[in-house]
Amino acid sequence: MPLSTTRRRPARRRLALALAAAAATLAVTACGGGDDTDGGAGGESSEPLTFWTLESEPNRVARTEANLERFTEQTGIEVDLVTVEETAVPQQMITNAASGTLPDVVDHPMVMTSRWLGDGLLDGEAAQEVVDELDPATFREAGLEFAAVDGEVAAVPTSGWGLIMHYRKDWFDAAGLEPPTSFENILAAAQALHDPENDRYGIVLGNDPGHQVTQQIFEHFALGNGCQLIGEDDRLALEDERCVETFEFYDELLKNHSPAGTFNSVDQRAVYLAGQAAMMPQGPFTLHRLAGLEDAELANCPECTAEPGYLAANTGLVSQIEGYHGDTAQYGRISNLGITVDADTENAQELVKYLLGDGYTEWLAQVPNGMIPMRTGTPEEPEMFVDAWQELNMGVDREGTLVEYYGEDTVAALVDGAQNFDAWGIQQGFGELVGVLYELTTIPAAVGEVQNGVLTPEEAAADVQQKLSDELELIESAG
């Protein structure tokens, strides 16, 4: 049976289980989430709004707190800021829903928007009202598409980024290698530049079974190879030979051309910053670090002592990857602000409008290289926010802009990626299923089982397909 694209229902199995176990699982309330609204009536409230953000690094938290103080000065509405880890936010939302302590506004990746709307956690009408008031024409089309469910905005898009392959141009040039724009070029370079005896590795990949970076990189490669979550007949398509090939490709790189161990995004960066990896697929959040602008993750390659920006000058960036069949694609992600069903709605809407208006440039300034604006400007000044974003300092301990270190062409490519990237399922109307996939970290677990010899690539593809099929049956039965 083809999959249904209309799965907006107020409750499902996991939410019901969480409700039953609420007393034992109040994880977020202890750190400030929740019982601070008037039940979503949208009227005046003397209680502060609760705002969850995924940006938890100290310098970003400090900027956001200062930004929220300005919001309070303008409106009189107080805000409690709570930082939540991205990998934990799906379960924490369910836990807080069970205890009636949802935040008022939640910063989250696009893969969870449809999932949470289907769970009855987000107020899509409130988000649509915000977009309508700000003017949909001021948003990038891709941002609105990836935030929509059944043609209506379910959350408000703020920023986006596309996954890029970082590679050592100096090593590639010295070896006479082509840039890593295809599976063939990536494998050739990984083989030629892999020298573990001298602490040099062909590539460093995410393979943490509980971390979404593994999903993101796998999906990036899969899209380039023409492997889709959903086929043309609206059926799960992960057993397709192109998906099996992607598992094989990923496993070849992990087993034969990568350092040993388990790597999340921070671990990946550490290897590349040390000058020990020829390639690293990841989002653009590393760019200021390669330039030597953040002491907490300072580039420490052999050449970096004399020239702190050495890696920035000698790193090439590839956005789209071509698989074995002539397809090319770039995985990307948009961050959304969701207004929950328990929110003090009117005040929550004011906060979101501020963060996409007077406070927007400062919101993007947290990490400009990883927060490409999804709202380009205002009706009166259509490019205002893009122009301001390009001038933002991406450094933490030292200053520097993207253009200064990487040039106008690279900045243009980053912007282009954020409005033209691809992702599994969401635009086809299966965002809720994608949310399940990310919540359960099904692909990262399968990648690890292939690497450890537990499953073959064919078995891994079939196993993921079966697990998602089982989830769909449970969703249908709960509906």
Side-chain angles (χ1 to χ4, degrees):
M1 176 184 297
L3 305 177
S4 170
T5 61
T6 56
R7 303 185 185 280
R8 295 175 63 173
R9 54 181 61 85
R12 59 173 61 211
R13 182 176 60 97
R14 267 186 208 81
L15 191 53
L17 289 174
L19 285 165
T25 56
L26 302 184
V28 175
T29 53
C31 65
D35 55 349
D36 49 17
T37 72
D38 63 3
E44 294 289 330
S45 173
S46 60
E47 296 294 329
L49 296 175
T50 300
F51 174 36
W52 287 5
T53 177
L54 302 182
E55 302 299 333
S56 58
E57 294 190 14
N59 62 294
R60 301 178 195 176
V61 171
R63 295 196 78 134
T64 300
E65 287 177 337
N67 200 9
L68 295 176
E69 287 175 5
R70 287 189 284 273
F71 169 72
T72 300
E73 290 172 1
Q74 287 186 19
T75 65
I77 302 169
E78 295 185 355
V79 184
D80 288 337
L81 182 67
V82 179
T83 61
V84 185
E85 292 298 323
E86 182 172 334
T87 54
V89 73
Q91 181 57 50
Q92 290 181 337
M93 279 287 284
I94 292 172
T95 297
N96 280 60
S99 61
T101 57
L102 284 170
D104 295 272
V105 178
V106 56
D107 170 30
H108 64 279
M110 65 186 188
V111 295
M112 298 311 301
T113 299
S114 181
R115 171 82 164 146
W116 289 344
L117 187 72
D119 281 342
L121 305 182
L122 293 184
D123 184 343
E125 291 183 5
Q128 183 69 64
E129 288 172 1
V130 169
V131 170
D132 289 341
E133 185 169 340
L134 295 176
D135 189 346
T138 64
F139 287 83
R140 296 190 192 278
E141 184 177 347
L144 294 178
E145 287 180 354
F146 279 102
V149 178
D150 298 336
E152 297 290 327
V153 168
V156 182
T158 58
S159 63
W161 53 265
L163 193 141
I164 48 181
M165 179 70 84
H166 304 64
Y167 72 98
R168 289 290 298 266
K169 290 189 299 185
D170 49 348
W171 295 5
F172 272 68
D173 290 345
L177 295 165
E178 294 294 321
T181 56
S182 67
F183 278 18
E184 288 87 350
N185 290 356
I186 292 169
L187 285 171
Q191 182 176 3
L193 299 174
H194 189 60
D195 185 12
E197 292 184 0
N198 291 301
D199 289 329
R200 281 194 179 189
Y201 305 94
I203 191 168
V204 59
L205 294 169
N207 67 339
D208 188 326
H211 202 281
Q212 291 184 2
V213 71
T214 309
Q215 167 75 40
Q216 292 163 354
I217 297 171
F218 183 92
E219 193 170 335
H220 183 63
F221 290 151
L223 290 164
N225 201 43
C227 162
Q228 292 287 345
L229 178 67
I230 305 297
E232 294 181 357
D233 58 355
D234 282 354
R235 297 176 185 273
L236 285 168
L238 289 171
E239 288 184 291
D240 183 87
E241 64 176 353
R242 297 188 178 203
C243 300
V244 174
E245 287 174 347
T246 306
F247 274 109
E248 292 172 342
F249 175 73
Y250 212 102
D251 192 48
E252 164 72 13
L253 292 174
L254 282 174
K255 285 181 177 174
N256 298 320
H257 308 299
S258 303
T262 302
F263 293 84
N264 59 28
S265 56
V266 176
D267 302 323
Q268 277 185 280
R269 290 200 301 265
V271 175
Y272 195 86
L273 289 168
Q276 295 178 344
M279 293 176 285
M280 177 187 67
Q282 204 176 96
F285 294 87
T286 303
L287 297 180
H288 67 284
R289 296 167 170 122
L290 300 182
L293 303 180
E294 181 178 0
D295 289 341
E297 289 189 65
L298 197 61
N300 59 338
C301 67
E303 302 89 348
C304 294
T305 301
E307 187 180 345
Y310 183 86
L311 284 180
N314 288 279
T315 291
L317 304 175
V318 169
S319 54
Q320 293 196 337
I321 296 295
E322 179 181 343
Y324 291 129
H325 305 277
D327 300 285
T328 59
Q330 179 185 22
Y331 168 83
R333 199 195 83 166
I334 290 172
S335 293
N336 297 328
L337 292 178
I339 298 170
T340 73
V341 293
D342 289 345
D344 178 348
T345 306
E346 291 182 4
N347 285 348
Q349 288 176 314
E350 289 302 312
L351 174 59
V352 175
K353 285 186 286 186
Y354 171 82
L355 291 175
L356 271 295
D358 290 347
Y360 191 36
T361 299
E362 184 60 21
W363 174 258
L364 300 172
Q366 294 178 83
V367 52
N369 39 303
M371 300 181 84
I372 299 166
M374 285 293 113
R375 190 178 187 221
T376 58
T378 65
E380 298 75 23
E381 297 182 74
E383 298 297 318
M384 180 176 74
F385 296 129
V386 174
D387 292 342
W389 168 77
Q390 293 191 61
E391 300 298 321
L392 290 173
N393 167 41
M394 66 173 176
V396 176
D397 299 293
R398 281 161 293 283
E399 294 189 353
T401 67
L402 275 167
V403 171
E404 178 183 349
Y405 277 91
Y406 295 98
E408 293 181 357
D409 289 346
T410 296
V411 173
L414 291 174
V415 172
D416 183 64
Q419 59 190 354
N420 292 297
F421 60 63
D422 200 357
W424 273 349
I426 297 176
Q427 287 180 304
Q428 293 93 338
F430 294 94
E432 193 174 354
L433 176 62
V434 176
V436 173
L437 182 69
Y438 270 74
E439 181 181 334
L440 300 180
T441 60
T442 311
I443 290 288
V447 166
E449 289 175 329
V450 174
Q451 184 182 8
N452 294 328
V454 177
L455 298 175
T456 66
E458 293 83 0
E459 290 169 342
D463 185 60
V464 173
Q465 173 126 335
Q466 185 60 55
K467 286 177 178 175
L468 288 180
S469 296
D470 292 344
E471 283 293 319
L472 283 169
E473 289 182 9
L474 289 167
I475 290 171
E476 292 292 349
S477 64

